[in-house]
Amino acid sequence: MAQHNDEHANAWTCSDTLAQALRGHADLSPADQLALLVAQGADRLPLPGHGHTLQRWRALAEVAAHSLGLAKLYEGHTDALAILSELQADLATEGLRWAVWCAEPPGERVQATAASPDATQRTTLQAGSAVRLSGHKPWCSGARAVDRALVSGWLADGQRCLIAVTMDQPGIRRDDSHWQAVGMAASASADVHFDGATGVLVGAPGQYLSRPGFHHGGAGVAACWHGAAARIASHLQQAVSQGEDPHRQAHLGALDVALASAAGLLRDAAACIDATPSDPCLLAVSRARLAVEAAAEEVLRRVPRAIGPGPLCKNRGLAQLMADLPVFIRQSHAERDQAALGRLLAEMTQAPAQGAGASAWTL
């Protein structure tokens, strides 16, 4: 799989490929648009850490600028392909729509036990082992749209694991009655209940969280936020170009600084990942995610003040992005992520041999 993705990366031109694939299909649902991108091979993005990480994120940003409902499904699908490659899982992906469902709210777990009743197998579960699932998984985007999903679960010994599940089987029930969202409504999220459904372990127990790609993928989500925020800001840029207005110009200048700064940190993170693919690049990724989140919040605050209610009421695409982005960026953990970055910087200060954190503040 990795070789296939690398070869595709060399020919990848995200703007042309995605624009051509989506042209004339704006009336389709995000699920059907994802199926279209998969059928045309526009899901085969460069893998993180293989020299073209920034190209990957530019593609994610472009999809997000088109539709955040689609971006939620597309990012999850392409993340699943990257995970399967990183964990060397020999599973079919061609033509299939995948998702990654790894939310772990308190008190809600999916338990994984050996599919075979043989007691000896229960203690030797490893990558490729068949397991049986029971429990409830919330926040499953595109639950009715995807063919397969990577689901986080727990083994009897308390270890975290990742399971590949085929969705068209008995023992799986989808419940979208709790999804009352207005923003990100099109992501069609649902609760998924597992009652004896079968799956296959992907990677060794605990490997899903410990692998470097866990953090690399988190920066890919931030690329989606950035693409949507930049598209919203472009409406202000267009308004400024139509006439002299110092207030609009001031808002645009502030947003240019915020978005350009965030883009620079995303580029730094991509370069770090490509230079050291076995390193999670936690400092660079954390900075980039938080910078994009802050820039997106500035965009959401300033653009309505600058352009007024007219475009928000008459431009459906802009109105949808304005409704979707505040929900999507809450995939960030806000102050918890800021605190995590602060702890990381404190640890690096105490052990300077591990790297220079604060030194990046100096020119």
Side-chain angles (χ1 to χ4, degrees):
M1 185 187 304
Q3 182 179 0
H4 170 81
N5 277 272
D6 283 343
E7 290 173 354
H8 199 98
N10 295 330
W12 178 260
T13 53
C14 62
S15 295
D16 292 342
T17 302
L18 290 174
Q20 290 172 10
L22 294 171
R23 186 173 293 122
H25 299 286
D27 57 327
L28 295 179
S29 69
D32 289 338
Q33 288 180 331
L34 176 62
L36 184 68
L37 293 176
V38 171
Q40 297 191 16
D43 61 328
R44 299 288 156 164
L45 300 182
L47 293 170
H50 286 241
H52 301 277
T53 299
L54 186 57
Q55 279 184 296
R56 176 185 182 87
W57 293 352
R58 284 173 174 163
L60 293 174
E62 185 185 352
V63 172
H66 172 82
S67 161
L68 279 176
L70 172 60
K72 182 63 177 174
L73 304 186
Y74 184 77
E75 186 279 326
H77 169 78
T78 54
D79 188 38
L81 299 186
I83 293 168
L84 291 170
S85 178
E86 185 176 9
L87 297 183
Q88 300 180 337
D90 187 18
L91 296 173
T93 60
E94 201 73 32
L96 298 174
R97 290 173 293 177
W98 284 78
V100 180
W101 299 331
C102 293
E104 295 280 346
E108 297 182 359
R109 288 187 174 186
V110 171
Q111 293 295 144
T113 57
S116 168
D118 186 342
T120 60
Q121 291 193 17
R122 294 195 185 98
T123 61
T124 59
L125 291 177
Q126 55 189 336
S129 294
V131 293
R132 199 169 297 279
L133 305 181
S134 62
H136 166 229
K137 179 64 68 175
W139 306 106
C140 298
S141 297
R144 297 187 184 278
V146 299
D147 305 296
R148 297 185 181 181
L150 296 178
V151 180
S152 63
W154 296 79
L155 300 174
D157 61 4
Q159 293 191 82
R160 291 278 295 272
C161 62
L162 189 67
I163 310 108
V165 182
T166 299
M167 295 302 295
D168 60 345
Q169 61 169 305
I172 295 179
R173 179 172 62 87
R174 303 164 181 84
D175 177 11
D176 53 14
S177 64
H178 300 293
W179 186 244
Q180 301 298 318
V182 176
M184 295 303 292
S187 67
S189 296
D191 293 355
V192 176
H193 299 268
F194 298 98
D195 184 13
T198 59
V200 176
L201 288 183
V202 175
Q207 193 176 9
Y208 166 69
L209 290 175
S210 64
R211 64 192 175 87
F214 179 79
H215 297 287
H216 302 168
V221 173
C224 293
W225 304 340
H226 193 279
R231 174 56 61 88
I232 292 171
S234 73
H235 289 272
L236 172 56
Q237 186 173 17
Q238 180 64 28
V240 168
S241 71
Q242 295 173 356
E244 184 77 15
D245 185 322
H247 299 290
R248 284 180 171 177
Q249 291 169 342
H251 283 299
L252 181 60
L255 293 185
D256 176 69
V257 171
L259 288 167
S261 299
L265 287 172
L266 279 170
R267 287 192 290 269
D268 289 347
C272 178
I273 290 168
D274 284 335
T276 56
S278 61
D279 189 320
C281 295
L282 189 54
L283 181 61
V285 165
S286 298
R287 283 174 169 160
R289 278 178 59 94
L290 287 165
V292 175
E293 179 188 359
E297 289 178 339
E298 276 291 278
V299 167
L300 291 169
R301 184 175 72 88
R302 286 180 177 272
V303 168
R305 293 174 66 88
I307 65 176
L312 298 174
C313 298
K314 297 179 180 181
N315 186 314
R316 187 176 186 85
L318 173 60
Q320 192 65 63
L321 285 171
M322 287 293 299
D324 288 343
L325 187 55
V327 179
F328 201 170
I329 61 174
R330 291 282 49 85
Q331 196 166 343
S332 159
H333 300 104
E335 284 77 10
R336 289 184 178 88
D337 285 351
Q338 292 175 330
L341 175 58
R343 284 193 299 272
L344 177 62
L345 290 169
E347 292 168 0
M348 297 175 75
T349 301
Q350 294 166 2
Q354 295 180 10
S359 63
W361 302 345
T362 59
L363 294 177

